[in-house]
Amino acid sequence: MVRLRARHVLGDPGEMSNGPASHDRLDDAVAANLSALLEHRRKVERARTIHERIADRIARFAGTMYFAYAHAVLFGVWLVWNSIPGVPHWDPYPFVMLAMFASVEAIFLSTFVLVSQNRMAQLADQRADLDLQINLLSEREITRVLALACRIAVRLGVRDQPADVSDLQRDVDPRELLETIDEASAEDEEQRPHRQRSRRGPAPRP
């Protein structure tokens, strides 16, 4: 009797999960999410400045093996040509021009990489904020579903419920959770010197 009433309230799981309409709705939701993500990515790409585009392309090329092969060939030819006797040398040993060229190139490459990394870090922060918002919404939805399930259980006469079900039905306050994490981190930082001293043992007596 209880199973029949539960099926009447919640519906048949087989009909809910195996029907073609549910699959179509799921496919439509996935397609809509992918379309939104791709549109946002294209929007971000279009919003880049010319300086960011140049920095991204240089940083992307510098992270490939073609860049390493080109430098190996260039430096190899440079060193061999300026080491062969009897030919004109534009940078004889100790290859001061080559060292200066490599130093200047390293400065510019590090700048381009930092510019690209800063932009990627900004995008990562946005994705982290989006993940946090989705997690908070999911937690709120799960809390509502749990409260609804508890009401259904009470209506069906199910009395065997977890002791902490009332705590699970409460919404999580993100500010309170962040404050708790900060307090725990501060306490850990304060206790770290004491733990280090305890690991080292007592100081030797003079």
Side-chain angles (χ1 to χ4, degrees), residues 158-187:
V158 179
R159 298 181 179 179
D160 187 11
Q161 297 185 9
D164 57 348
V165 67
S166 59
D167 296 333
L168 295 176
Q169 295 182 38
R170 293 185 300 179
D171 292 330
V172 176
D173 188 1
R175 290 184 293 270
E176 182 180 355
L177 183 59
L178 289 174
E179 291 177 357
T180 304
I181 294 175
D182 292 338
E183 292 176 358
S185 300
E187 292 179 359

Side-chain angles (χ1 to χ4, degrees), residues 112-173:
F112 292 139
V113 171
L114 287 176
V115 171
S116 181
Q117 285 183 349
N118 289 336
R119 196 180 70 84
M120 297 302 294
Q122 183 179 3
L123 295 177
D125 291 339
Q126 293 178 358
R127 295 191 184 98
D129 294 337
L130 178 61
D131 291 339
L132 177 60
Q133 182 65 21
I134 292 176
N135 291 333
L136 291 175
L137 292 175
S138 300
E139 188 274 335
R140 184 179 180 85
E141 292 175 357
I142 292 173
T143 302
R144 297 297 180 270
V145 171
L146 179 60
L148 179 60
C150 291
R151 293 178 184 176
I152 295 175
V154 171
R155 185 175 180 180
L156 296 178
V158 179
R159 298 181 179 179
D160 187 11
Q161 297 185 9
D164 57 348
V165 67
S166 59
D167 296 333
L168 295 176
Q169 295 182 38
R170 293 185 300 179
D171 292 330
V172 176
D173 188 1

Side-chain angles (χ1 to χ4, degrees), residues 16-111:
M16 294 176 62
S17 59
N18 297 327
S22 62
H23 287 291
D24 293 339
R25 287 193 297 269
L26 181 60
D27 294 339
D28 293 340
V30 172
N33 293 334
L34 291 177
S35 177
L37 292 175
L38 292 176
E39 179 62 27
H40 177 71
R41 183 176 299 177
R42 287 192 291 265
K43 182 180 178 180
V44 171
E45 293 293 330
R46 290 193 300 266
R48 291 186 304 171
T49 62
I50 184 64
H51 308 288
E52 292 175 343
R53 295 175 186 270
I54 294 175
D56 289 342
R57 290 182 180 180
I58 294 177
R60 189 180 300 111
F61 176 70
T64 61
M65 289 303 300
Y66 296 105
F67 185 78
Y69 295 151
H71 277 70
V73 173
L74 176 62
F75 291 163
V77 172
W78 189 303
L79 294 174
V80 171
W81 184 272
N82 288 277
S83 300
I84 298 176
V87 297
H89 298 163
W90 67 84
D91 186 21
Y93 182 84
F95 312 112
V96 177
M97 292 181 59
L98 179 61
M100 183 181 65
F101 171 76
S103 300
V104 173
E105 183 190 30
I107 293 173
F108 279 98
L109 279 180
S110 60
T111 303

